[in-house]
Structures are given as structure tokens and as C-alpha cells.
Amino acid sequence: MGVILLLHTLLVLLFTIRILLRDDLSPPGRLAWFVVLNLLPYFGSAMYFLFGETDLGDRADKRHKEIFEEIRAKASWFMGEATNTEKLIDPVYLSAFQYAGSINGFHPSMGNAAELMADGDETLTRMVADIDAAIDHVHVLYYIWIDDNTGHAIAEALIRAAHRGVTCRAMADGLGSRAMINSALWQRMRGAGVHLAVALSLKHPIRTILTSRLDLRNHRKITVIDSRVTYCGSRNSADPEFLVKAKYAPWVDIMLRFTGPVVVQNQLLFASDWMQATNEALDGIALARGPTDGGFPAQVMGVGPTERHGATPQLFANLIACAQDRLTLTTPYFVPDATVLEALCATAYRGVSVSLIFPKVNDSLIVAAASRSYYHRLLDAGCTIHEFKGGLLHAKILTIDGKISLIGSSNLDLRSFDLNYENNILLQDEATTLAIEERQQTYVSRSEVVGLPTVLAWHYHKRIWHNVIATIGPVL
């Protein structure tokens, strides 16, 4: 008994000291780990060892720094000029665009256009047509790539392009696309001449566990054709039926097809991942920029465990604070940190119409519980909450005042904030934002409003469950 007590004490003391030494951990994060370690010392210690640190290691950090130094040295002209931001962006929203530019060095450029895809079928049809029309290169990166109708069609289009002599690079996350990476279709692509790479490979899991974390993932969804067209949004290379989690189907996504200077910015973000995975130089990746006249200003924003800590919630807080009239946020996973939560409440308190759209049924019971722990606070502040009933709403969108849109792969949860590589496009354009807002209204029309009386009527055991999960949320 004495030995067990001593071991308990040493484990708690060791990890407590480690937690207290970390300057990057928030006070709620520290508190959550203290709770877990004291209540479940052996399990908690194992969990902290496996998942407590958001670090890919010194080698990855050093390589990331080298890659962006090379990109800035060789391709800064494609990244936009910080000095132009004030000329291109409405002063009301300027601070948010300036903050976004501080993350990777991508700044707004004029000359962009965007089309909102009607649905998954149109997205696939247009994407395959663009790949079939490629004459120089095609670059794709997906977190989840499944050998279903969509995943197979994209792979076959890449194979056809490679046979025509087009340089094709395809990249997939080692965990999210593990079945594809081990499939015959992946080998067919390789045999056809498609250059393949795995982001954050699980080839050496023990080494990964000892030096990093297994759940640090590349969650990006990037498609670039001839530096002329790029797609950005929430959709993986998978059908809406989403076979790996079919009981939550359909998965409802949103995708935009972009042309203009923002395309090459997305190309450079893809290049940074490709260079990290393959150690290739930027010189091998073709870059070209179209006209910059007309169109609207837009910029790419990429985040991840090798980027500045807290960049995503700080960007969202900046954007939320800019809203003057209305703000609509759509996300499947809502576990905000204090920065985002306070920004949403403060914006609603000052009279801005704040609408939040979440799925009614979530594929993560933990996330669903944590999300609902915030409902009372948000509703008290004057926010409107809608829960979508037509499948799993997977779209990740923020629209502001009918003028500003943020679209991409980032969720409003701690995984997107700290653990995942994400990609987004921030734009200023009334027509594009109106189209996205109209799509958000179709989500609202298929949702039920969750009012304060409903939340107050929740049984006490449900409220306790929500708040317990939210308390340990920083460790999930």
C-alpha cells in the first residue's frame, strides 16, 4: 500500500511540475490536467505522456522554419504585400486581415473570383473536369481520402493526367487516409507516375509516441490545378455518404472554386507540406500568377502545431470583434477557448445579430456535450443557436456583415486550435459572402432553434455531464 501511495505521489508530482513549467498551456488547461492526474493518476499520466504536449519535435520545427524562409526568399512576390492591406480592405475589418497576414506572411491580393459549388456532385464534376483540363501540374492534399466514388474518381483523374505528362503530386494524412495509403489504388497512382507523399506518417508509431503525438494530424483539404484554380472548403475526398461514419450521413459540406492570386498562395501552402514530407526544394514546384486587376481581395491562412500557438482562436476573435451588423458561424465542432467565447458574447451584447449553426447529432459525443455546456452563456448574451437536423453539418464558415467570409478546414475546437494543420481563405466580397450566407440560411431552414427555456429544462444529469466534459475539455 505504501509503495502504491509513493508511486501515486511521484507520478502526480512529476507531471505537475512538467505542467507548471509549460508557458504555452492556459490556466484552464493546467487545471484540467491537474483534475485528471489527481483523480486518475496512472491513466492520467499515460494520457499526458501520449497526448499532453502539442509538439512535433525540434526537427520538425526547424524544418518548418527553413521551409518558410525558402518560400519567402524565392516566392515572396506571390504572397501579397502587407503594405497593400490598408488599400484593399475596408478599415472596419482591417485588423483581422492584418492579423491573418501575420501568421504565415500571406497578405490580401486583388483579382480573385469564387464560385460556390451547389453540392457534392457538382464539386466532384468540376474538380475532375479541371484535373482533366490540366496541362502542367495538379496538386492535392486531403486529410481523409476514401476509395469510394469521389475518392476513386479523383485518383483516376490524377492517373489520366499523369499519363498525359502532367506533373501530379498527391498527399494524404497518415491516419485519416490510412486505408487509401495501403490500397491497390494508391499503388496504381504510383505506378502511373503520380508523385505520392504521406503527411505525418504512422510508419514508426513508437518513435512518434516517444517524440511527439499520434494525434497531431494534417487536416487540410487543398486542390490546385495549374496554379490557375484552387478549391477550398470543408470537404474531404469522400462521398457525402461517408462510409467510415455512415450512420451520421449525409455529411453536409461546402466548397468554393477560386481563381486569381489566392490560388498560388494555396499552392505555396501545399508546397510547405510537400517539402516537409519529402525534403524536396521549392524549385521543383511550378508557380504562376494570373491577373490582379478587378475581382476581390483574398488571402490564405494556414495554421498547425509548428505555427504560432493560438493563431486560430486569435484570428476568429479579431474577426468576431469586427462585426457591425450580423455574424453567422457554422461549425460541426464547437469547443471554444475563452478568447472565442468571450468575443462571441461581447459581440452579441453590443447588439450584433450573432447566429450559430451546429449539427443536432454529432459524431463525437464528447464534443457534443462540451458544445452544449456553452449554450446557456451564449443565449444569455443574445446569440441565436440553431441545430441542423439534415445529417452531419460539416461546413466550417464564418460570414460577417454580408461582406467578409472565412472558409476552410478549421473547426472551432481545441484540435483545430492546437493539434491540426488547417487551411482557410479569408476574403472581402459582397457577392461571394451573400452566396455563402444564403447557403447558411438553407442550413437554418433545416434546423431547430435551441432557446433558453429548452436549455433550462435540461435534466440535471445532462447539465452535469455537459459541464464535466467541458471542465476537462482542454485535455480532450
Side-chain angles (χ1 to χ4, degrees):
M1 189 68 178
V3 174
I4 294 175
L5 181 60
L6 179 62
L7 181 58
H8 177 149
T9 303
L10 286 174
L11 277 174
V12 172
L13 182 62
L14 176 66
F15 284 104
T16 296
I17 292 171
R18 172 56 191 158
I19 290 165
L20 289 172
L21 285 171
R22 286 181 59 190
D23 296 325
D24 64 325
L25 198 59
S26 67
R30 287 195 186 94
L31 180 60
W33 277 115
F34 290 155
V35 169
V36 172
L37 286 169
N38 280 279
L39 291 179
L40 302 166
Y42 305 114
F43 174 79
S45 298
M47 288 300 97
Y48 188 85
F49 178 76
L50 291 171
F51 304 114
E53 311 269 335
T54 57
D55 188 1
L56 281 168
D58 292 340
R59 181 183 298 179
D61 288 339
K62 181 182 178 183
R63 179 60 181 147
H64 178 82
K65 183 178 179 182
E66 291 172 349
I67 286 168
F68 270 89
E69 285 176 351
E70 183 176 353
I71 288 173
R72 281 188 285 270
K74 297 179 178 178
S76 62
W77 187 74
F78 298 105
M79 300 176 75
E81 295 288 340
T83 54
N84 286 338
T85 306
E86 290 186 24
K87 303 172 188 175
L88 301 177
I89 304 301
D90 185 320
V92 172
Y93 313 104
L94 180 61
S95 62
F97 281 79
Q98 288 175 326
Y99 182 85
S102 75
I103 299 170
N104 315 108
F106 295 116
H107 302 285
S109 293
M110 283 294 291
N112 299 288
E115 295 177 76
L116 176 59
M117 299 293 98
D119 52 26
D121 288 342
E122 184 184 16
T123 300
L124 178 59
T125 298
R126 295 291 297 277
M127 198 177 286
V128 168
D130 283 329
I131 294 173
D132 283 340
I135 58 175
D136 186 75
H137 63 269
V138 180
H139 295 150
V140 300
L141 163 59
Y142 306 121
Y143 169 58
I144 294 177
W145 193 341
I146 302 175
D147 187 6
D148 57 9
N149 178 59
T150 296
H152 196 88
I154 296 297
E156 292 291 351
L158 289 169
I159 289 169
R160 291 193 297 272
H163 283 157
R164 298 195 307 272
V166 174
T167 300
C168 296
R169 293 180 174 90
M171 195 171 181
D173 180 78
L175 177 63
S177 300
R178 58 193 179 280
M180 171 62 84
I181 291 165
N182 294 315
S183 71
L185 182 57
W186 190 259
Q187 294 307 317
R188 278 191 58 219
M189 285 195 287
R190 188 187 303 279
V194 178
H195 303 277
L196 302 176
V198 177
L200 302 173
S201 172
L202 296 180
K203 203 173 196 179
H204 304 289
I206 301 301
R207 185 172 70 187
T208 301
I209 289 170
L210 292 174
T211 61
S212 179
R213 286 177 61 159
L214 284 172
D215 63 337
L216 297 180
R217 306 313 327 157
N218 194 314
H219 193 241
R220 291 172 178 165
K221 306 105 169 58
I222 298 176
T223 304
V224 181
I225 298 103
D226 287 345
S227 294
R228 177 182 56 85
V229 172
T230 193
Y231 288 82
C232 183
S234 62
R235 190 179 183 190
N236 291 290
S237 186
D239 293 340
E241 291 77 13
F242 209 62
L243 298 178
V244 292
K245 291 187 178 179
K247 73 176 183 176
Y248 301 101
W251 288 54
V252 179
D253 285 297
I254 187 167
M255 293 293 286
L256 266 69
R257 180 185 185 272
F258 288 89
T259 57
V262 77
V263 176
V264 76
Q265 290 191 6
N266 231 17
Q267 177 90 307
L268 289 169
L269 190 62
F270 170 88
S272 71
D273 287 329
W274 185 265
M275 294 161 73
Q276 183 91 31
T278 65
N279 282 321
E280 292 182 13
L282 181 65
D283 297 336
I285 295 179
L287 301 171
R289 186 172 181 176
T292 57
D293 297 328
F296 58 78
Q299 68 193 99
V300 161
M301 186 272 286
V303 294
T306 48
E307 283 291 355
R308 182 170 70 234
H309 181 75
T312 302
Q314 289 169 12
L315 173 63
F316 272 94
N318 266 283
L319 284 164
I320 292 164
C322 290
Q324 303 298 301
D325 175 58
R326 64 187 187 272
L327 177 155
T328 306
L329 171 68
T330 307
T331 182
Y333 308 116
F334 181 76
V335 188
D337 67 357
T339 306
V340 173
L341 182 64
E342 297 297 342
L344 285 169
C345 290
T347 298
Y349 275 125
R350 60 185 171 84
V352 174
S353 174
V354 176
S355 296
L356 309 172
I357 314 172
F358 311 134
K360 183 173 179 61
V361 178
N362 204 298
D363 65 317
S364 170
L365 291 175
I366 299 296
V367 169
S371 295
R372 290 180 176 131
S373 74
Y374 302 105
Y375 280 16
H376 192 167
R377 179 92 181 274
L378 292 162
L379 292 168
D380 266 347
C383 299
T384 303
I385 298 175
H386 309 268
E387 288 191 337
F388 180 81
K389 298 186 295 184
L392 198 149
L393 182 60
H394 193 242
K396 306 111 176 10
I397 327 159
L398 178 66
T399 56
I400 299 171
D401 297 343
K403 298 176 182 177
I404 305 297
S405 297
L406 179 72
I407 185 168
S409 69
S410 287
N411 297 304
L412 262 292
D413 69 347
L414 301 181
R415 292 202 59 81
S416 281
F417 292 172
D418 296 329
L419 305 180
N420 291 339
Y421 284 98
E422 307 282 5
N423 70 288
N424 301 278
I425 290 178
L426 178 62
L427 64 93
Q428 176 183 281
D429 182 56
E430 291 187 10
T432 303
T433 300
L434 177 60
I436 297 173
E437 283 185 330
E438 288 175 349
R439 181 65 54 83
Q440 288 177 308
Q441 287 307 306
T442 69
Y443 303 152
V444 168
S445 70
R446 299 166 66 189
S447 302
E448 63 181 37
V449 175
V450 181
L452 192 55
T454 300
V455 173
L456 293 175
W458 283 341
H459 198 274
Y460 72 89
H461 67 77
K462 181 181 287 190
R463 290 158 55 197
I464 289 172
W465 165 247
H466 294 167
N467 290 328
V468 166
I469 295 302
T471 298
I472 62 171
V475 310
L476 299 176

